[in-house]
Amino acid sequence: MKFMPYFAVHKEYILPMKIVFLLSTLLCISCGSKQERTLPIVKKLTESVYASVTIQPDSLYEAYAIVNGILERNLVEEGALVHKNTPLAHITNSSSALNAENARLSLQLTASNYQGNSTVLKELQEDIETARLTFTNDSINYKRQENLWRQHIGSKIAYETRKLAYQRSKNQLNVLDNKFNRTRKELQTQVKQAQNTYKNSQITTGEYTITSKINGKVYALYKNRGEIVTTMEALALVGSTSNFVIELLVDEVDIVKIEKGQKALVSLDAYADRVFEAVVTKIYPQKDSRSQTFKVEALFIKTPEKLYPGLSGEGNIVIYEKSDALIVPKEYIVNGNSVVTDDGLKTVEIGLQNLNEVEITKGITTTTELLKPE
């Protein structure tokens, strides 16, 4: 009896043997791995927009000097409570003091000239009195000579001489009167200009003391005594003591979903395991080109016990809430609009969604068993 070698098996048996081997391999694989399954559930679903959070005091602003100088001293300490117009710092500048003194002396001089106690107006008044006496005398002599000339008494030369003296003294009196009025007006203008200059120097001197614009707290002082102060550098940071604003940075793809009055859930690193409710109060329309985000402001419904500028955390702005949504885990969604069932892929319609869950509005029910995609 002859036996054929293994490699000499007839070719019609090779294909069925391959199929059997493949089926047995698939059966082993399926037996060794059990695919995860789940059923959709009905529950409340909240759709929200994520945002990074920074806490800042309300009315926070940086105090600047509007003049240059040297910081003589800070008049308050960091953390001090201040009222509106409370002095914060004082700057020195010797030139401003000299300018103020010069303006005061100039005002005194021009005021004295205007009041007539100086030689300027006094001399003019004396000249006018002299010219008036001369005019009166020349007028009398002219009238007398005119009457004599009408009576053909005296010479024509004497008459014309008296007339010329009368006209000359009259013109001289008019010139002096006009000069006096013009000089008085000029001195009056100089007094007003000197008053304005002096007031301006007083204002400028006052500007060397930086004051608070609000009732609040001094959160920072940026300069020390003796340092140079310019109009381009802030001297202090002042803000509210009790009212704080939540600044949320929202990605540009989500900003169109944000509206005033929406609720925000805020968690702060300083308050672990606590969530604070807030309300959106302001949306800034300008995008930050560096971070590609928009700034949104919100206010606490109940403010935490202690807050400091710069506290950070995370926030979720609630866009929509639904109490009876049909929910499936997000990892069970295939291609954005399908789920895997025992009958194969099934197309569904997506509703609300958050980071982990998706609402199904059409296509399956609570009894549809879903397979987790591998």
Side-chain angles (χ1 to χ4, degrees), residues 43-108:
K43 69 171 189 177
K44 181 179 179 180
L45 179 65
T46 300
E47 183 177 355
S48 62
V49 168
Y50 173 83
S52 59
V53 166
T54 304
I55 304 298
Q56 296 291 4
D58 190 21
S59 304
L60 186 69
Y61 80 98
E62 291 182 324
Y64 285 81
I66 60 175
V67 290
N68 298 324
I70 297 176
L71 181 63
E72 181 180 352
R73 66 184 184 276
N74 288 313
L75 303 177
V76 294
E77 295 181 353
E78 291 177 323
L81 300 179
V82 294
H83 297 286
K84 186 177 181 180
N85 297 325
T86 298
L88 303 177
H90 184 69
I91 303 168
T92 58
N93 190 318
S94 58
S95 62
S96 67
L98 293 175
N99 291 336
E101 180 63 17
N102 290 337
R104 185 185 68 82
L105 294 175
S106 177
L107 177 59
Q108 286 182 344

Side-chain angles (χ1 to χ4, degrees), residues 47-55 246-255 258 262-269 280 282 292-298 311-319 355:
E47 183 177 355
S48 62
V49 168
Y50 173 83
S52 59
V53 166
T54 304
I55 304 298
I246 308 168
E247 294 184 354
L248 304 104
L249 297 183
V250 178
D251 192 275
E252 63 175 326
V253 300
D254 296 320
I255 191 61
I258 309 300
Q262 290 175 335
K263 183 171 69 174
L265 302 176
V266 176
S267 60
L268 300 175
D269 296 339
V280 174
K282 187 175 183 179
Q292 300 296 308
T293 60
F294 287 81
K295 185 167 76 170
V296 175
E297 286 187 359
L311 289 181
S312 60
E314 298 178 330
N316 286 282
I317 302 173
V318 178
I319 304 304
L355 291 177

Side-chain angles (χ1 to χ4, degrees), residues 5-17:
Y6 174 77
F7 54 83
V9 177
H10 200 274
K11 60 181 180 179
E12 58 260 32
Y13 296 102
I14 295 177
L15 182 59
M17 289 178 65

Side-chain angles (χ1 to χ4, degrees), residues 8 10 18 23 40 78 88 97 99 134 146 158 188 220 242 264 272 329 362 367:
H10 200 274
K18 287 183 177 180
L23 291 176
E78 291 177 323
L88 303 177
N99 291 336
T134 302
E146 186 180 35
Q188 184 180 15
S242 56
K362 187 177 181 181
T367 60

Side-chain angles (χ1 to χ4, degrees), residues 156-214:
K156 187 176 180 181
I157 295 176
Y159 166 73
E160 291 178 350
T161 301
R162 295 295 184 184
K163 182 178 180 181
L164 181 62
Y166 163 75
Q167 291 176 341
R168 186 187 297 115
S169 60
K170 180 180 179 180
N171 293 337
Q172 181 66 21
L173 181 61
N174 290 334
V175 169
L176 290 175
D177 281 336
N178 292 334
K179 184 177 181 180
F180 179 84
N181 292 330
R182 184 175 64 254
T183 303
R184 184 173 58 182
K185 289 181 180 180
E186 290 175 353
L187 291 176
Q188 184 180 15
T189 301
Q190 291 175 5
V191 169
K192 291 181 179 179
Q193 291 175 341
Q195 288 175 340
N196 293 336
T197 302
Y198 181 65
K199 288 180 181 179
N200 183 64
S201 68
Q202 291 296 102
I203 293 174
T204 303
T205 302
E207 289 170 349
Y208 283 85
T209 299
I210 312 303
T211 60
S212 174
K213 304 303 180 184
I214 62 170

Side-chain angles (χ1 to χ4, degrees), residues 37-43 324-330 332-333 339-341 346 348-349 357-371:
R37 296 169 177 263
T38 189
L39 288 173
I41 60 174
V42 177
K43 69 171 189 177
D324 56 351
L326 184 64
I327 304 300
V328 299
K330 214 166 192 178
Y332 280 76
I333 302 299
V339 292
V340 181
T341 67
K346 193 173 186 63
V348 295
E349 291 185 3
E357 298 173 318
V358 175
E359 178 195 14
I360 306 299
T361 60
K362 187 177 181 181
I364 59 174
T365 66
T366 54
T367 60
T368 305
E369 193 172 30
L370 306 180
L371 284 71

